[in-house]
Amino acid sequence: MTTIDYRILDARIGSEFPLPDYATGGSAGMELRACVDAPLTIETGQAQPVPTRLSIPTATPGFDDT
């Protein structure tokens, strides 16, 4: 199993909004949920940022941030 570092940016994560998890035992990836206060509708063909209130650092090949 791989360990992923993350930072919670909203105190409601884990209580009101669940942490990412596997939906089923055979899932290939974790379910990442939106952290929104009201229903959000995105129409076909539209794009809109959706807040998760999590920060997940990604590695950049060839970049050393130490």
Side-chain angles (χ1 to χ4, degrees):
M1 178 177 276
T2 302
T3 301
I4 299 173
D5 293 324
Y6 63 91
R7 181 178 301 147
I8 296 174
L9 304 177
D10 189 312
R12 299 174 298 169
I13 301 294
S15 58
E16 292 179 47
F17 297 96
L19 283 166
D21 64 355
Y22 294 98
T24 64
S27 294
M30 299 180 100
E31 299 292 326
L32 183 61
R33 295 169 180 88
C35 182
V36 294
D37 295 317
L40 176 65
T41 301
I42 302 172
E43 300 295 335
T44 303
Q46 291 184 331
Q48 182 173 343
V50 178
T52 62
R53 306 294 190 230
L54 293 174
S55 173
I56 303 171
T58 58
T60 303
F63 180 77
D64 182 8
D65 64 349
T66 58

